[in-house]
Amino acid sequence: MRADMPADHTTEAERLLRTAGQYPEDREPLLLRAAAHLELAGDRERATTLYDSLLDADPADPLLIRSLKAANLWEYGHEAEARAIIEGVRRARPAEPAPWEIVAETLEAHDELEDAEATFTEATGLLVTSTDEVSYALQSLLSGRHRVRRMLALPHDDHDLLADRLHTADVPLDELHDPKRLWALGSSDPAELQAEITRLRSELGSYRTALSRPFPVAVLHWPEAELDELLAAYPELEAEYPTYRAHLTDIEASLRELAQSGTPNLGIVPATVPSYEAFAASESSSPANPDLLPQYTTTLAARGRATPWPPPRTAPCWCGSGRTYGRCHGADV
């Protein structure tokens, strides 16, 4: 579901809350997603209540939840409490990029640029240990740091140069993060406005992975035995999956297309026939209905079942062939 209006976000939050009741083992990622939709619906107090209930239940990722809670609190007037939580997150020195990015962007959004730059710098100094294979999450940290330092008119350092090198969009980071762009928005020159639209479109593809954190845009993968069982039980789905080889090719092609369009935080979710049938039953629908497949994929991703894509070239390929990704579906990258 692509929710665009407050009522849509509320409806999606309620659906996720129901799903959390059906799958208590996946309660944490489902409630986090529900809280995000409540924030987008403007129901920030209820979102805070969800964050508190998660923190009371010994969560797997308390620093992520605390950072999200702080960002939400600051948005509806609880600045002092938000600042205290942010300082606690920074002192804890998270081992994952997401809490760092959330608290740094929260500071940035409220014009605390020096503190935001210090937070980004502390995070990249701790987590960016190699320049060979930098994950998307770390690239996003580097880009955020580059953006804030550009606004503060700080000179480029090694991490800024690394961010420049990793950036693949048509518009260079220095131009994308140029503070003078703000003046272009008030121009009456159509050419200037069109140039700014182009820059903004580029930025939307890579800026603020918070919009999807921590839930990837995922593609469904049926292992061969599961796909055989699915098509034997529901031959109506053969149009979706003509062959297993075509299924694997479509997965890689879809993910590459999404990556080229600037979509961040991509993943693959493994499917099984029993879980798909259970999901169909929970939605009062038939497993033979192909329209159910995207909803099933989204729900699995929300439940934390996605594997990040692309894997490192030396890691096992996502398809399960036993070969490395660089010698399998990533061979022509």
Side-chain angles (χ1 to χ4, degrees), residues 113-118 147-155 179:
L113 296 182
E114 289 82 5
D115 285 343
E117 193 277 333
R147 181 180 62 250
V148 172
R149 289 171 61 81
R150 190 82 167 85
M151 288 190 284
L152 290 170
L154 296 175

Side-chain angles (χ1 to χ4, degrees), residues 124-142:
T124 54
L126 176 68
L127 301 179
V128 179
T129 57
S130 170
T131 60
D132 295 330
E133 287 191 354
V134 182
S135 69
Y136 185 86
L138 290 179
Q139 290 181 42
S140 187
L141 270 182
L142 288 164

Side-chain angles (χ1 to χ4, degrees), residues 73 84 87-88 110 113 138 166 232 250 265 273 286 294 317 323 325:
L73 284 169
E87 286 306 310
H110 295 278
L113 296 182
L138 290 179
L166 295 171
D250 286 346
N265 197 14
V273 174
S286 166
C317 188
R323 298 189 296 274
Y325 179 66

Side-chain angles (χ1 to χ4, degrees), residues 23-294:
Y23 302 98
E25 71 276 14
D26 298 316
R27 178 176 179 270
E28 184 172 328
L30 289 166
L31 291 191
L32 278 176
R33 190 177 183 105
H37 279 286
L38 289 172
E39 288 188 38
L40 292 168
D43 196 351
R44 293 189 174 275
E45 291 190 22
R46 191 178 175 200
T48 295
T49 300
L50 279 185
Y51 292 135
D52 286 338
S53 69
L54 283 165
L55 290 169
D56 289 342
D58 191 23
D61 200 344
L63 293 177
L64 173 66
I65 299 170
R66 290 183 185 280
S67 61
L68 289 167
K69 178 183 174 182
N72 182 52
L73 284 169
W74 203 326
E75 288 298 325
Y76 72 108
H78 297 270
E79 178 182 340
E81 186 178 354
R83 286 182 181 276
I85 294 172
I86 287 171
E87 286 306 310
V89 171
R90 291 179 64 181
R91 285 196 300 270
R93 294 172 65 81
E96 297 296 328
W100 286 108
E101 183 164 19
I102 295 166
V103 298
E105 287 188 347
T106 299
L107 291 165
E108 178 190 354
H110 295 278
D111 297 324
E112 303 288 342
L113 296 182
E114 289 82 5
D115 285 343
E117 193 277 333
T119 303
F120 274 124
T121 296
E122 187 177 356
T124 54
L126 176 68
L127 301 179
V128 179
T129 57
S130 170
T131 60
D132 295 330
E133 287 191 354
V134 182
S135 69
Y136 185 86
L138 290 179
Q139 290 181 42
S140 187
L141 270 182
L142 288 164
S143 179
R145 180 178 182 273
H146 184 289
R147 181 180 62 250
V148 172
R149 289 171 61 81
R150 190 82 167 85
M151 288 190 284
L152 290 170
L154 296 175
H156 274 26
D157 61 10
D158 288 344
H159 278 169
D160 290 322
L161 295 174
L162 177 59
D164 285 329
R165 178 170 67 80
L166 295 171
H167 182 69
T168 58
D170 294 336
V171 180
L173 274 187
D174 273 348
E175 183 178 351
L176 195 63
H177 296 158
D178 185 354
K180 294 179 181 178
R181 287 174 46 217
L182 295 175
W183 293 102
L185 293 174
S187 173
S188 59
D189 184 339
E192 289 185 6
L193 290 173
Q194 183 58 52
E196 181 59 19
I197 289 170
T198 300
R199 286 191 289 266
L200 287 170
R201 282 176 174 166
S202 175
E203 188 170 13
L204 285 172
S206 57
Y207 177 55
R208 293 185 68 84
T209 55
L211 292 175
S212 60
R213 67 178 180 252
F215 317 105
V217 175
V219 175
L220 198 63
H221 172 217
W222 294 93
E224 188 169 13
E226 294 291 338
L227 185 60
D228 289 344
E229 182 180 344
L230 177 75
L231 297 180
Y234 309 104
E236 299 91 339
L237 297 178
E238 287 182 358
E240 302 290 325
Y241 308 109
T243 68
Y244 181 63
R245 182 180 294 275
H247 174 48
L248 297 183
T249 300
D250 286 346
I251 291 172
E252 184 72 20
S254 296
L255 288 166
R256 291 191 190 187
E257 183 178 348
L258 287 167
Q260 290 170 2
S261 71
T263 304
N265 197 14
L266 300 173
I268 298 174
V269 288
T272 67
V273 174
S275 75
Y276 179 56
E277 291 176 332
F279 176 77
S282 72
E283 295 292 313
S284 302
S285 183
S286 166
N289 179 9
D291 293 338
L292 201 63
L293 293 167

Side-chain angles (χ1 to χ4, degrees), residues 11-22:
T11 298
E12 181 66 3
E14 296 296 345
R15 188 186 73 81
L16 289 162
L17 290 169
R18 290 194 302 271
T19 304
Q22 295 168 344

